[in-house]
Amino acid sequence: MSAIDAENRILETNNRQRLYNLGNRLWHTDSSFKRLPAYCSMLHARSIPPIGGHTEFADMRAAYDALPDSTKERIAGLVAEHSIMTSRGKLGFKDFDESERAAFAPVPQVLVRRLPDSGRMSLYIASHAGAIRGMPDDEARQLIDELTAHATQRQFVHAHRWRENDLVIWDNRCTMHRGMEFDDQRYKRDMRRATVSDVAPTCEQMGLAVAAE
């Protein structure tokens, strides 16, 4: 995402928006922390740094296909809790007021989803995922970490190296992505994103009746 303010100035080191945006360097799926998550995203490069700042994408369909059958059976029907406070907390960002904490309360998302257009199964995880319903927290974190490590092996990952005016569109239902590091105190990076919402919550799409908590 962009590392500049509305006046095209580089964000200062301790700027709240900059610290918040650092979470985009973790593997994530756009808006999985919302009850109605993202379907697709479009990112347009207006200005880019000369070094670093590319974006990596992981194919969660191929990652699911490569899982052992025992793991597929273990994760079938599981529901994870997603919150943007979970991902930001991993980087030490906990500067949320009470209204934000209420707005960012965890939402349920399936761990595995079927894509309605192709019928393929896909992992649906992100750095926003914390707890898994019905599972001890330590076990849940370990499982999410193991699935993330599996899904981000090099054979499942494409790195896009930006050029000015590039426009990249991706399907959030079956990919994770992350922005790579660059010297954001030296170089400007101006990226403009638009996101299209999915048609229904993931649990509803998978036919699971899941109550909010």
Side-chain angles (χ1 to χ4, degrees), residues 54-57 154 157-161 180:
H54 58 282
T55 302
E56 292 188 332
F57 297 89
R154 299 318 305 175
V157 173
H158 164 73
H160 182 76
R161 301 184 182 278
M180 301 303 289

Side-chain angles (χ1 to χ4, degrees), residues 52-142:
H54 58 282
T55 302
E56 292 188 332
F57 297 89
D59 185 342
M60 307 303 278
R61 300 159 301 181
Y64 176 84
D65 290 344
L67 287 171
D69 288 342
S70 58
T71 303
K72 292 178 181 178
E73 293 173 4
R74 180 188 179 195
I75 64 179
L78 292 181
V79 174
E81 299 281 356
H82 289 235
S83 172
I84 200 164
M85 293 187 292
T86 300
S87 57
R88 272 43 185 182
K90 292 175 180 178
L91 298 177
F93 183 95
K94 300 180 180 179
D95 182 20
F96 297 100
D97 60 30
E98 290 305 312
S99 63
E100 289 173 324
R101 290 182 183 279
F104 298 147
V107 299
Q109 305 287 5
V110 292
L111 209 64
V112 180
R113 63 188 303 184
R114 184 181 297 278
L115 304 177
D117 43 5
S118 67
R120 292 186 67 181
M121 302 298 288
S122 177
L123 287 173
Y124 193 69
I125 53 178
S127 58
H128 307 312
I132 295 176
R133 293 188 174 185
M135 186 178 292
D137 287 345
D138 289 347
E139 183 181 349
R141 284 191 292 268
Q142 181 178 351

